[in-house]
Amino acid sequence: MEGRHNQMVYRLPRLAISMLFGAVLLGNAPTIRALEARIEGLEGNVAENVRHYLGSLDAEAYSRARIESEVQRRAREAMRVYGYYEPTFEWQLDESEPPEFVELTIDPGPRVRLEVIDFSLQGEAATDPPFQQAIDDFPLSEGDPLVHAPYDSLRGRLANLSLERGYFEWRYVDRRMEVRPYDESARLYLALDSGPRYRFGEVTLRDSHIERERVLNLTPFAQGDPYLAGELARLNQRLGQTEWFGSVTVRPRLRQGESLALEQRRLGWFQELDVGQPTTADSSDASDVVAGPTLSAMALESAATLGRGDSPQVPIDITVTPADRHQFEAGVGFATDVGPRLRFGWHQPWINSLGHSLDHDLYLSAPEQRFSGVYRMPLENPLRDSYRFQYGFRHRDNEDTQALEATIEAARRWEFDNRWVQTLYVRGTIEDFTQGGEDEQVLLLYPGISWSRTRTRNPTFPSWGDRQRLSFEVSNGAWGSQADFLRMTSETQWIRMVGDDTRLVGRLGLGAIETDDFSKIPPSLRFFAGGDSSVRGYAYESLSPRNEDGLLQGGQQMFTSSAEVQRRVTGDWWGALFVDAGDAFADWGPDDLNKGAGLGVRWVSPVGPIRLDIAHPFDDEDNAWRLHFAIGPEF
């Protein structure tokens, strides 16, 4: 690949100049007047293919006699790929100059049928299941009408499999399509000699500012494993996900061996043999046999330099450049819950050769302001295992809640093969708060554990996805915490498509706190419901038990649910119908839940999905309707 890359770099300026001049010439070129074909005697795919072939015929570029000849030639060529080799034509050009259409009456004649299908595999690919599967998937059988496309597709599929699965010495030793129009028969031959399968060799890392072993731990294969191009793509993706690098290049070091593979592809053009009426020799004569591709002297020399032994190896080269050490971002948003909001981020994707990173985040809105940061220490598998140390300061002033909070946390994170993430953490919090007119200050030290998983297809506006999270936290005076409690939270959300234009969204949330002194539980751990992502139709965090003065106290338990049906109206515009129910409460088994329902609009804009909902609360006599507006995906 190195040689190929250098050649492209060398020729790029001339290519760019040619494209520039071509663009200028095309800009001044007259519009091609395509010849319309009006066809009788044919229908379906064959007729459409004839129209396609004739559609690129520029009538202004030919005389009338030449147009008639060209019409026949192109029509014959279009019909041959469907097995019609002896059609007859009657045609009539319209009288205008140049002619605008041709009337074609076509008698397709007999259709060639398959007499022999002979496909075979040689080399190590003969026992590699995807190759045999490709042959088994060939849709034609002996006796079927000849269609060229499946044969062309099989050739391309076997060639791609050879390169993708490490058969770099592959070649077709036989590749023929013999057509006998006089006999209305055709024979297909295809024989692939894959040669040996290459295996992954030594991995070389160049120009890395991160420790070599830490980077190579991301390699999804081991030296000696069978070569798979997909594994290189996975490695490239993993390296990018670390955010350590500004650019990543992963490629096999084939060198001359690559030239062989490219040479084979270049020499192996499809060969079709149209066999005429035999004279002195029958159809089995040796003159019918088309020789396989021959190798140039350069290709033979390349073959001599490929890996020796039964299992030749391909070294892998990884070249990286460092990502910017300091990255800044700012965001502006709006949601009905919090109004305008601002966010400023300072991201340091790597701060040393171990790949440690540091993030700082400032968030500002009317009811809440916070400043937080997280220091990450990746372990043996940087993407899956890490230690995290977090800090945060938060001020809240919303409804009947006023709180000033400082938090530190140490966590250990694991991600498993099934994509579930387990986090074990210890959190310390000092919170000075007023809730429902009652003042309190509390120091908490509590461990917790959580499991979460998020899966999506097209994260911006998922056509399929789900998210689950379950956590448990416990606090006790035995280790110096000023409140005793056991807290559990659980949430799940699902998105599924029904057809191409209907989208279903469901959500369920649960929460519970077991404690002997609820007054010691700070607002950050109590439960509130209502708002854009909870029970629509009610104000943000306005649903919870109230004291004698009607002030919100927060709940010890919470339950929320939502069901939504979205239907595409046109393009990126969707309509929505939803029903929500839920509440935060002091005891399990509330007499009733607050419910809301409404209609919404979804627009998948260039900056992300925009959601506008009009919801009616069934249990709020003071408000008939409430407008909810938010920007961003559901997950």
Side-chain angles (χ1 to χ4, degrees):
M1 288 189 177
E2 289 177 347
R4 182 181 180 185
H5 176 72
N6 292 337
Q7 184 181 26
M8 290 181 65
V9 171
Y10 172 74
R11 300 175 67 175
L12 184 57
R14 287 185 291 175
L15 177 62
I17 292 173
S18 300
M19 292 176 66
L20 179 61
F21 276 101
V24 173
L25 292 174
L26 287 173
N28 296 324
T31 302
I32 295 176
R33 296 183 59 183
L35 185 68
E36 178 188 354
R38 302 176 180 177
I39 299 173
E40 293 184 4
L42 285 182
E43 58 184 19
N45 293 336
V46 185
E48 287 301 317
N49 205 43
V50 172
R51 292 188 183 94
H52 173 73
Y53 270 64
L54 297 181
S56 60
L57 178 59
D58 182 8
E60 292 184 345
Y62 301 95
S63 65
R64 293 184 71 88
R66 179 68 185 277
I67 291 174
E68 293 176 353
S69 175
E70 193 69 13
V71 164
Q72 292 186 73
R73 185 189 70 80
R74 296 193 182 199
R76 288 182 185 277
E77 186 175 347
M79 295 180 65
R80 289 178 70 182
V81 299
Y82 285 96
Y84 295 102
Y85 278 75
E86 296 182 302
T88 57
F89 304 94
E90 294 181 7
W91 65 89
Q92 179 66 48
L93 294 174
D94 76 306
E95 300 299 328
S96 61
E97 288 293 344
E100 297 180 356
F101 65 88
V102 58
E103 294 181 349
L104 269 175
T105 301
I106 303 176
D107 179 1
R111 191 173 188 181
V112 169
R113 293 186 175 272
L114 291 171
E115 183 179 68
V116 174
I117 298 178
D118 186 0
F119 301 152
S120 63
L121 298 168
Q122 303 174 24
E124 291 187 24
T127 57
D128 197 352
F131 286 85
Q132 187 59 53
Q133 186 63 49
I135 292 177
D136 292 342
D137 290 341
F138 187 71
L140 303 180
S141 302
E142 292 180 0
D144 289 344
L146 171 64
V147 180
H148 289 203
Y151 184 69
D152 296 341
S153 176
L154 177 60
R155 289 185 304 102
R157 184 174 174 183
L158 292 178
N160 289 336
L161 280 172
S162 298
L163 294 179
E164 291 170 3
R165 301 181 68 80
Y167 299 93
F168 297 116
E169 299 177 54
W170 71 274
R171 67 190 184 99
Y172 285 121
V173 294
D174 192 6
R175 180 173 57 177
R176 290 174 292 150
M177 177 185 290
E178 295 181 2
V179 181
R180 293 169 169 77
Y182 66 90
D183 194 34
E184 301 175 15
S185 67
R187 301 179 179 183
L188 301 181
Y189 299 93
L190 195 62
L192 173 74
D193 183 358
S194 68
R197 185 174 187 180
Y198 279 64
R199 297 180 177 271
F200 286 111
E202 181 183 6
V203 179
T204 302
L205 177 63
R206 301 177 182 175
D207 305 327
S208 177
H209 56 292
I210 305 297
E211 285 186 352
R212 180 179 184 276
E213 291 303 319
R214 185 151 298 216
V215 176
L216 295 186
N217 281 339
L218 294 166
T219 305
F221 53 84
Q223 185 172 348
D225 287 349
Y227 177 91
L228 280 173
E231 295 293 82
L232 296 186
R234 288 180 60 196
L235 175 57
N236 192 83
Q237 181 184 40
R238 289 181 178 184
L239 293 172
Q241 288 174 343
T242 65
E243 300 184 354
W244 292 336
F245 309 111
S247 65
V248 175
T249 302
V250 179
R251 58 185 179 184
R253 195 194 314 154
L254 294 179
R255 295 183 179 176
Q256 292 166 313
E258 180 197 20
S259 299
L260 173 67
L262 294 175
E263 185 77 0
Q264 292 284 9
R265 296 183 73 187
R266 183 180 67 82
L267 291 172
W269 289 108
F270 166 65
Q271 300 176 29
E272 177 189 338
L273 180 62
D274 187 351
V275 182
Q277 177 72 35
T279 53
T280 58
D282 62 23
S283 59
S284 62
D285 190 80
S287 62
D288 291 341
V289 179
V290 178
T294 58
L295 297 179
S296 68
M298 181 183 70
L300 291 173
E301 181 181 357
S302 299
T305 65
L306 287 167
R308 304 299 182 185
D310 296 333
S311 300
Q313 294 190 347
V314 182
I316 305 300
D317 291 331
I318 304 174
T319 304
V320 297
T321 60
D324 292 338
R325 200 162 190 173
H326 300 278
Q327 301 174 10
F328 302 91
E329 61 180 358
V332 179
F334 179 87
T336 313
D337 286 347
V338 298
R341 56 191 179 191
L342 300 175
R343 180 178 176 273
F344 301 93
W346 173 21
H347 179 44
Q348 295 175 267
W350 61 277
I351 60 176
N352 55 32
S353 62
L354 297 175
H356 294 186
S357 64
L358 180 61
D359 290 338
H360 306 276
D361 188 80
L362 175 64
Y363 173 86
L364 302 173
S365 69
E368 180 178 340
Q369 305 84 45
R370 65 174 181 261
F371 181 70
S372 60
V374 55
Y375 185 90
R376 295 179 179 86
M377 298 173 56
L379 299 176
E380 183 176 354
N381 188 326
L383 294 178
R384 290 192 170 188
D385 303 325
S386 63
Y387 286 110
R388 300 187 177 196
F389 302 93
Q390 303 182 58
Y391 70 89
F393 302 94
R394 182 167 68 161
H395 174 258
R396 297 177 65 196
D397 187 355
N398 180 60
E399 294 283 350
D400 302 323
T401 302
Q402 294 82 39
L404 184 62
E405 173 190 357
T407 300
I408 59 172
E409 178 181 298
R412 173 70 165 88
R413 179 184 184 273
W414 299 264
E415 181 176 342
F416 305 113
D417 291 339
N418 58 11
R419 299 180 63 179
W420 279 94
V421 175
Q422 175 180 280
T423 305
L424 185 65
Y425 56 91
V426 177
R427 183 177 300 156
T429 298
I430 299 177
E431 191 160 348
D432 188 354
F433 62 91
T434 300
Q435 182 66 57
E438 298 181 3
D439 299 333
E440 189 63 74
Q441 186 179 64
V442 65
L443 169 64
L444 300 178
L445 179 64
Y446 56 97
I449 187 170
S450 70
W451 297 273
S452 63
R453 182 177 67 177
T454 299
R455 303 179 297 176
T456 63
R457 298 171 187 167
N458 182 22
T460 301
F461 194 69
S463 57
W464 181 96
D466 54 67
R467 178 178 63 183
Q468 288 84 34
R469 189 177 189 278
L470 174 66
S471 69
F472 294 93
E473 298 164 333
V474 59
S475 176
N476 194 282
W479 50 74
S481 190
Q482 294 180 349
D484 296 343
F485 65 82
L486 174 64
R487 185 174 187 266
M488 181 276 292
T489 60
S490 176
E491 62 177 328
T492 182
Q493 186 171 356
W494 299 78
I495 296 176
R496 294 293 186 269
M497 291 288 292
V498 179
D500 295 329
D501 299 318
T502 303
R503 193 167 178 259
L504 306 179
V505 181
R507 184 178 68 247
L508 183 68
L510 297 170
I513 302 173
E514 181 63 35
T515 181
D516 293 332
D517 188 357
F518 187 65
S519 66
K520 291 289 187 179
I521 305 300
S524 59
L525 297 179
R526 300 185 186 189
F527 296 111
F528 300 85
D532 297 340
S533 57
S534 182
V535 185
R536 286 163 286 190
Y538 302 85
Y540 177 55
E541 295 190 348
S542 64
L543 300 180
S544 88
R546 297 176 181 266
N547 60 18
E548 296 177 353
D549 297 324
L551 302 178
L552 295 169
Q553 291 182 304
Q556 284 189 241
Q557 288 83 31
M558 179 189 68
F559 173 84
T560 60
S561 61
S562 176
E564 182 171 321
V565 179
Q566 300 174 4
R567 180 73 179 177
R568 190 195 305 271
V569 178
T570 179
D572 291 329
W573 289 89
W574 297 67
L577 173 66
F578 59 86
V579 177
D580 301 332
D583 204 349
F585 32 86
D587 297 304
W588 284 111
D591 295 333
D592 198 6
L593 294 174
N594 290 283
K595 295 175 288 295
L599 302 173
V601 175
R602 308 287 181 264
W603 176 39
V604 188
S605 76
V607 298
I610 296 177
R611 293 171 286 160
L612 178 64
D613 293 324
I614 301 177
H616 171 63
F618 294 115
D619 303 287
D620 186 350
E621 298 178 355
D622 297 330
N623 296 286
W625 298 96
R626 187 171 183 85
L627 187 68
H628 295 270
F629 177 82
I631 300 176
E634 288 93 348
F635 291 167

